[in-house]
């Protein structure tokens, strides 16, 4: 594989974009109230893309010689310690404290990429899900596909269904799968474009594990909205997202078999889209109980900064300089019985 440096140039172009003041003003008001003093350091990171970091998730299906030694030479190290409750041997992620981005690899039909560039915090929902070989797994809102790829670095599900309702994002998902997963495994997967809110009725009690990486107000990208009018529209529609997230969760719970577990995640700091949605589910669904993920949180506390005061079944990764991962909210639930 030849490394393409073009994405580097794209990144530099993004750094020159202006912060959208209307979004920043909105966040300033909301997150100062919700996060208190922690918002000051989070804001400094979110508004400074030049300090953002990128991790590399290695692809176990395409291991190029010399990649890991090259990463070590550039200051990268394995991201997760062996003390985690769930960390399959094939799951290998590299990070470094310094900001900047390792060159991306071009999509080439018929050739698998060796690594996936991502925010290291986005791997935590996958580690929390604890997928085992042979289980039936649903990634309900799967695009662009990084978490689907990560799940397959952990285990080989007996049945793996990746769903993405949005047409453009669905094509992105399909290309990601083509770039990282061998044909023999792709043939065992199902990729669909269904409305996630209807999934539970279409396939009730079918899956052992469900990931709901829900559509959310993406704090990082919204701060650099190029079109102020679009930003205002997004902020107006933001109130509707928690309703969509709740409906997706209800559907995911229906799709879970009794005893199965679910992980909910977003890449926003917003309480309305995070703990409020989970609390609403716990209060309205009698057959769901929270699952303690504090042991995982302790195991990765050297790598990530978490908001204090959250419940044991949830965590919120706060970006800070040198550990500029997140925002990422994660909550885990278990289905105790049929509805």
């Amino acid at each position: 594989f030849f490394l393409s440096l073009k994405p580097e140039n794209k990144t530099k172009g993004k750094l020159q974009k202006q912060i959208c003041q209307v979004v920043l003003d909105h966040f300033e008001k909301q997150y100062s109230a919700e996060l208190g003093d922690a918002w000051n350091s989070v804001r400094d990171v979110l508004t400074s893309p030049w300090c953002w970091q990128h991790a590399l998730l290695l692809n176990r299906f395409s291991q190029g010689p010399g990649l890991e030694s090259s990463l070590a030479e550039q200051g990268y190290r394995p991201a997760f310690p062996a003390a985690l409750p769930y960390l399959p041997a094939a799951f290998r992620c590299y990070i470094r404290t310094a900001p900047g981005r390792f060159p991306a690899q071009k999509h080439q039909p018929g050739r698998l990429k060796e690594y996936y560039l991502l925010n290291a915090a986005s791997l935590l929902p996958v580690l929390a899900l604890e997928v085992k070989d042979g289980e039936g797994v649903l990634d309900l809102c799967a695009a662009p596909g990084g978490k689907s790829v990560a799940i397959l670095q952990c285990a080989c599900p007996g049945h793996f269904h990746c769903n993405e309702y949005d047409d453009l994002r669905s094509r992105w998902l399909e290309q990601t799968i083509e770039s990282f997963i061998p044909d023999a495994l792709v043939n065992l997967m199902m990729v669909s474009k269904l409305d996630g809110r209807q999934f539970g009725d279409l396939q009730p009690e079918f899956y052992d594990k469900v990931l709901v990486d829900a559509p959310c107000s993406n704090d990082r990208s919204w701060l650099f909205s190029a079109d102020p009018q679009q930003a205002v529209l997004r902020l107006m529609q933001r109130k509707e997202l928690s309703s969509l997230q709740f409906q997706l969760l209800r559907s995911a719970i229906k799709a879970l078999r009794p005893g199965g577990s679910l992980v909910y995640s977003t890449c926003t700091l917003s309480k309305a889209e995070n703990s409020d949605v989970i609390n609403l589910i716990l209060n309205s669904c009698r057959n769901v109980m929270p699952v303690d993920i504090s042991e995982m949180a302790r195991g990765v506390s050297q790598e990530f900064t978490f908001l204090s005061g959250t419940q044991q079944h949830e965590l919120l990764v706060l970006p800070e300089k040198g550990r500029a991962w997140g925002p990422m909210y994660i909550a885990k639930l278990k289905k105790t019985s049929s509805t």
Side-chain angles (χ1 to χ4, degrees):
F1 255 131
F2 291 100
L3 299 178
S4 165
L5 295 175
K6 288 182 181 177
E8 291 277 10
N9 297 332
K10 287 181 186 174
T11 302
K12 286 173 185 171
K14 285 181 182 176
L15 302 193
Q16 293 164 6
K17 283 186 179 179
Q18 295 296 309
I19 291 169
C20 184
Q21 194 61 45
V22 66
V23 174
L24 182 57
D25 290 346
H26 183 91
F27 285 0
E28 192 78 49
K29 183 177 179 182
Q30 179 181 353
Y31 294 148
S32 292
E34 292 182 6
L35 303 177
D37 293 340
W39 167 240
N40 292 328
S41 58
V42 170
R43 179 190 55 220
D44 289 347
V45 172
L46 292 183
T47 55
S48 308
W50 54 87
C51 79
W52 295 1
Q53 295 156 264
H54 293 82
L56 285 88
L57 177 67
L58 303 196
N59 186 9
R60 67 171 170 145
F61 306 113
S62 175
Q63 298 180 359
L67 175 59
E68 290 183 84
S69 58
S70 174
L71 288 170
E73 288 170 10
Q74 296 184 51
Y76 285 86
R77 59 179 175 81
F80 299 106
L84 289 182
Y86 174 83
L87 189 69
F91 188 88
R92 291 176 298 152
C93 175
Y94 279 78
I95 62 172
R96 66 176 181 181
T97 305
R101 179 177 172 137
F102 202 75
Q105 295 177 316
K106 281 184 178 178
H107 172 73
Q108 297 182 31
R111 297 196 65 180
L112 297 182
K113 294 184 181 183
E114 295 173 29
Y115 54 85
Y116 192 100
L117 291 168
L118 76 179
N119 185 315
S122 66
L123 295 172
L124 294 179
V126 174
L127 293 176
L129 196 60
E130 300 188 21
V131 175
K132 310 276 195 311
D133 288 347
E135 290 183 325
V137 180
L138 169 63
D139 189 350
L140 189 63
C141 312
K147 293 180 179 66
S148 297
V149 168
I151 286 170
L152 291 171
Q153 304 308 311
C154 294
C156 289
H159 176 76
F160 191 25
H161 195 147
C162 300
N163 182 69
E164 177 55 52
Y165 184 49
D166 181 86
D167 195 51
L168 183 65
R169 288 173 61 82
S170 180
R171 290 198 293 273
W172 192 0
L173 169 66
E174 288 174 356
Q175 187 179 85
T176 299
I177 291 170
E178 183 186 342
S179 290
F180 286 92
I181 309 303
D183 289 343
L185 201 50
V186 172
N187 292 337
L188 300 176
M189 297 169 62
M190 167 94 67
V191 180
S192 63
K193 292 193 291 185
L194 300 168
D195 185 336
R197 293 169 292 187
Q198 300 169 0
F199 230 97
D201 292 326
L202 295 170
Q203 293 190 300
E205 301 193 348
F206 189 75
Y207 299 97
D208 300 292
K209 303 280 170 69
V210 178
L211 176 63
V212 184
D213 187 43
C216 67
S217 48
N218 186 321
D219 295 348
R220 281 187 186 240
S221 66
W222 281 25
L223 273 168
F224 295 90
S225 302
D227 182 350
Q229 289 181 314
Q230 182 194 42
V232 170
L233 185 62
R234 276 175 168 174
L235 290 171
M236 288 171 59
Q237 295 173 335
R238 193 181 197 201
K239 297 169 188 172
E240 301 166 17
L241 280 169
S242 57
S243 174
L244 170 62
Q245 292 154 349
F246 177 79
Q247 291 173 62
L248 288 169
L249 272 171
R250 285 290 297 264
S251 175
I253 291 164
K254 283 185 181 178
L256 262 184
R257 66 166 181 79
S261 55
L262 172 154
V263 169
Y264 173 76
S265 61
T266 74
C267 54
T268 180
L269 298 161
S270 177
K271 183 172 174 287
E273 298 176 52
N274 294 337
S275 54
D276 286 358
V277 173
I278 292 297
N279 288 337
L280 190 58
I281 281 288
L282 289 170
N283 289 332
S284 60
C285 298
R286 293 181 180 178
N287 61 336
V288 174
M289 63 178 287
V291 177
D292 187 346
I293 55 173
S294 59
E295 188 182 348
M296 183 189 80
R298 282 193 298 272
V300 297
S301 60
Q302 295 300 311
E303 317 284 8
F304 302 100
T305 300
F306 298 113
L307 178 68
S308 60
T310 56
Q311 301 295 307
Q312 289 186 323
H313 62 273
E314 62 179 355
L315 53 88
L316 177 61
V317 180
L318 301 178
E320 66 174 28
K321 285 180 180 171
R323 298 199 289 187
W325 313 114
M328 180 62 58
Y329 175 81
I330 301 127
K332 186 169 184 177
L333 306 174
K334 183 176 181 178
K335 185 171 181 177
T336 55
S337 62
S338 298
T339 308

